[in-house]
Amino acid sequence: NAGVMQNPRHLVRRRGQEARLRCSPMKGHSHVYWYRQLPEEGLKFMVYLQKENIIDESGMPKERFSAEFPKEGPSILRIQQVVRGDSAAYFCASSPAPGAGEKLFFGSGTQLSVL
Amino acid sequence: TQLLEQSPQFLSIQEGENLTVYCNSSSVFSSLQWYRQEPGEGPVLLVTVVTGGEVKKLKRLTFQFGDARKDSSLHITAAQPGDTGLYLCADDQAGTALIFGKGTTLSVSS
């Protein structure tokens, strides 16, 4: 039973390019969360999605960032026109259901470096 | 907005020593979770505590939840190099995403 799969593990982009980060949740999980982690800043919530729906995007910057979780295929976090400040580790987590007590399973993350 | 404060921020100890790290919240926890994150990997859940005063043990790790459900501690007995990592506490509120503290970075040298 594969865990949460994220790819690529490392992504290098030049300023102004687009970054696409993919996340395949665990089998049977329909809830996906994206977090961003900067050194010494902990994990910051970005967006929470269910299949075909964005449930909570309160942590996501209003511009350049978007996320989707289509009926078929992985969840995608898309960053347009990347800037150096977007460099960070981006983690995806999945759970079978929302809310208190549900265990979140995290992927190994995508390390985005913007040159 | 809830704030989770973790202390110390960094801890470097020798193998065999005991240690305690802390997590304090600006408001009552709904459900507190402790995670460990190793370099280059995602966090892995260690334990969930819900009831004030609750104590849970996981081998050499002891987790305590404060009576008022606003603070928690993680005690490690006889630390080993394999305990090295970032220890994160998080509040799991129903219907919303986990809120994490900034973590304690633990380094155990042999």
Side-chain angles (χ1 to χ4, degrees):
Chain A
N1 186 16
V4 178
M5 303 299 292
Q6 288 189 249
N7 66 82
R9 286 296 308 269
H10 301 276
L11 182 60
V12 180
R13 286 286 178 266
R14 296 190 181 279
R15 280 179 296 171
Q17 291 184 320
E18 179 180 284
R20 279 183 174 242
L21 288 62
R22 286 176 289 276
C23 169
S24 295
M26 286 186 71
K27 187 176 180 181
H29 288 193
S30 59
H31 300 261
V32 165
Y33 305 78
W34 284 94
Y35 286 82
R36 177 164 63 179
Q37 186 174 39
L38 289 163
E40 300 175 18
E41 284 198 15
L43 285 155
K44 299 291 188 186
F45 166 73
M46 298 182 73
V47 61
Y48 161 35
L49 309 105
Q50 282 181 262
K51 285 284 188 181
E52 300 184 277
N53 287 306
I54 296 175
I55 305 302
D56 181 356
E57 56 182 350
S58 60
M60 201 143 75
K62 295 284 187 282
E63 296 180 354
R64 302 189 297 108
F65 285 73
S66 62
E68 62 177 10
F69 188 16
K71 187 176 181 181
E72 301 290 337
S75 176
I76 305 287
L77 179 66
R78 183 181 177 207
I79 311 172
Q80 295 179 289
Q81 299 176 324
V82 296
V83 301
R84 288 214 173 117
D86 297 331
S87 296
Y90 291 83
F91 289 94
C92 166
S94 73
S95 71
E102 281 299 330
K103 183 176 179 179
L104 282 192
F105 294 83
F106 282 83
S108 297
T110 293
Q111 181 65 52
L112 173 65
S113 298
V114 180
L115 304 178
Chain B
T1 304
Q2 182 183 23
L3 292 175
L4 300 185
E5 298 278 345
Q6 290 192 245
S7 61
Q9 188 176 358
F10 298 99
L11 191 55
S12 182
I13 61 171
Q14 295 289 320
E15 182 177 5
E17 292 183 23
N18 301 332
L19 67 114
T20 303
V21 299
Y22 302 91
C23 174
N24 292 284
S25 174
S26 58
S27 57
V28 173
F29 281 101
S30 296
S31 168
L32 185 149
Q33 298 184 340
W34 281 96
Y35 287 79
R36 179 170 68 207
Q37 183 179 17
E38 297 184 9
E41 296 298 329
V44 175
L45 180 66
L46 295 173
V47 76
T48 300
V49 287
V50 179
T51 306
E54 187 173 2
V55 177
K56 283 194 174 180
K57 292 196 174 186
L58 185 65
K59 295 183 181 178
R60 294 176 295 100
L61 278 59
T62 301
F63 303 86
Q64 287 192 300
F65 200 16
D67 290 340
R69 298 175 63 236
K70 293 184 70 177
D71 59 276
S72 178
S73 64
L74 160 57
H75 182 80
I76 301 179
T77 303
Q80 300 176 0
D83 296 326
T84 292
L86 176 66
Y87 288 81
L88 295 158
C89 65
D91 191 14
D92 181 14
Q93 300 191 357
T96 66
L98 288 178
I99 298 171
F100 284 88
K102 293 184 180 180
T104 293
T105 299
L106 172 65
S107 175
V108 182
S109 52
S110 56

